[in-house]
Amino acid sequence: MAWNSRVNHVAPFRVMHLLEMAQAREAAGHDVIHLEVGEPDFATPAPVVAAGQHALATGKTRYTPAAGLPALREAIAGHYAEHFNASVDPARILVTPGASGALLLASQLLVETGDRVMMADPNYPCNRHFMALAGADVDAIPVGRDSGWQLDAALVERHWQPHTRLAMLASPSNPTGHTLSADALKAVFKAVAERGGEVLVDEIYQGLNYDDAPLSATSLSDDAFVVNSFSKYFGMTGWRLGWLVAPERAIEPLTRLAQNVFLAAPTPSQHAALAAFTPECRDILETQRATLKQRRRVLLEGLAQLGLAPDLPPQGAFYLWLDISRYSRDSQDFCERLLREENVAITPGIDFAVQGGEHHVRIAFTNDVERLEDAVVRINRFVSRL
């Protein structure tokens, strides 16, 4: 049987292969340091867990409206008002099964066969795959230090084509951890609007900012599509909950899509997420952010001694994007050997970059300081043999 040809555009996520290898080594008795998967190592905050347990105990397990629990949509709107000085009508917010659900809705609404989508290269691979599954052609635009490892207005102007429909941004980004300033975002919005296109902003790592206050595109434009998640900053990965902020003109068709594609996001998760916006939970989350900032410093200092620190330190998320070209031009082999020889699990850059991924790797600082220091020692030992 011939499968849908669009599936051929979906490459395997190689980090999962590394994770399987790492778990197999652990099962065989090896001490593996996990720096490969993009998941916080903190437990979901206790207030969120308690709210979820209460929802289950009181029978809050029936469907919610397709766009989400009204109280949660209001809480998200309040979050934007309190922390970003953004006025977002709760009616413009759709709660989804993870940020992936939001990306699915946005891709199905915004692009179709023959359209082109531009995004930074490197980028989270599923962003490319969602657009390809919708029938669009993806233009992965190489970025580097000159553009702050982001897709900026100059690159949009240079690479926009007659059939380009959408520019997708990510701030903070995966895998580089870099952010876009308010001025940079405004410039991209202007460049895209002048060309009749749409902008989709991935803010999944919003809140995990270390140098400047977090920024949201919702405070700059009512016309951008903005994806966010309860997974990263809020520590709710397995609860599978995200949201999409969309222009008012897009809410009706997006709601129809949601009704048909997934019906509604998980109900207990939505009730649990209401507690994520409480002051008690905020204190926990900010303590975790400070811990991640300390880990970033320790890892940057250790890798600098090996000549592996990134040329521009990341401002957010919990990743480092490292150029390993002085040691290898095969990131898959580099990562597999590092795991086999030193029991350190990191991710090959070919997962994220169309160009240059073969000589880059991603390290997630989702482990405690002592383990990060040990990982640097092991990496040093490994590269000294290359």
Side-chain angles (χ1 to χ4, degrees), residues 16-227:
M16 303 312 295
H17 171 63
L18 264 296
L19 178 61
E20 290 173 7
M21 288 180 60
Q23 290 171 337
R25 291 192 65 77
E26 279 185 315
H30 297 281
D31 175 30
V32 175
I33 301 176
H34 288 277
L35 308 176
E36 77 277 40
V37 178
E39 181 173 34
D41 58 322
F42 308 116
T44 298
V48 174
V49 174
Q53 291 170 332
H54 181 72
L56 291 169
T58 55
K60 293 184 172 69
T61 56
R62 302 179 71 84
Y63 294 134
T64 71
L69 198 67
L72 183 55
R73 299 166 77 191
E74 291 171 7
I76 294 169
H79 173 69
Y80 281 118
E82 180 181 359
H83 297 288
F84 303 101
N85 195 31
S87 178
V88 179
D89 186 341
R92 293 176 49 217
I93 299 168
L94 292 93
V95 180
T96 58
S100 296
L103 287 166
L104 176 62
L105 293 183
S107 63
Q108 292 301 312
L109 179 74
L110 292 173
V111 298
E112 57 187 333
T113 302
D115 287 338
R116 308 194 72 86
V117 177
M118 64 165 54
M119 60 185 69
D121 184 27
N123 206 315
Y124 179 54
C126 295
N127 291 341
R128 298 194 301 270
H129 299 158
F130 271 116
M131 297 303 162
L133 283 171
D137 295 311
V138 176
D139 295 315
I141 311 301
V143 296
R145 184 183 178 91
D146 289 348
S147 65
W149 289 94
Q150 286 282 359
L151 184 67
D152 62 13
L155 290 171
V156 169
E157 292 166 358
R158 189 181 315 153
H159 294 280
W160 196 272
Q161 299 185 46
H163 293 289
T164 303
R165 164 77 167 160
L166 177 69
M168 185 169 184
L169 311 174
S171 181
S173 68
N174 176 13
T176 72
H178 293 101
T179 59
L180 283 157
S181 68
D183 287 343
L185 277 169
K186 290 177 183 176
V188 172
F189 293 160
K190 182 175 183 292
V192 172
E194 289 174 347
R195 289 158 177 80
E198 304 279 2
V199 178
L200 175 62
V201 186
D202 167 354
E203 295 185 347
I204 292 170
Y205 292 89
Q206 183 187 71
L208 295 176
N209 298 70
Y210 308 115
D211 300 325
D212 299 305
L215 172 72
S216 175
T218 59
S219 65
L220 306 173
S221 171
D222 291 334
D223 213 39
F225 292 78
V226 180
V227 173

Side-chain angles (χ1 to χ4, degrees), residues 246-325:
E248 183 179 357
R249 58 190 165 84
I251 294 302
E252 189 276 329
L254 284 170
T255 302
R256 275 191 283 116
L257 281 172
Q259 290 168 346
N260 284 274
V261 172
F262 49 71
L263 194 62
T267 299
S269 298
Q270 293 191 59
H271 285 280
L274 286 168
F277 300 109
T278 62
E280 179 187 6
C281 192
R282 184 77 179 186
D283 289 344
I284 295 169
L285 297 172
E286 282 300 292
T287 299
Q288 293 175 174
R289 185 183 66 84
T291 298
L292 287 169
K293 183 175 182 178
Q294 179 192 17
R295 293 176 181 179
R296 180 189 68 152
R297 176 184 58 79
V298 167
L299 199 52
L300 284 171
E301 290 174 354
L303 292 170
Q305 298 174 20
L306 311 182
L308 279 174
D311 58 1
L312 185 67
Q315 301 99 0
F318 38 69
Y319 306 116
L320 300 182
W321 180 247
L322 307 182
D323 185 344
I324 59 166
S325 57

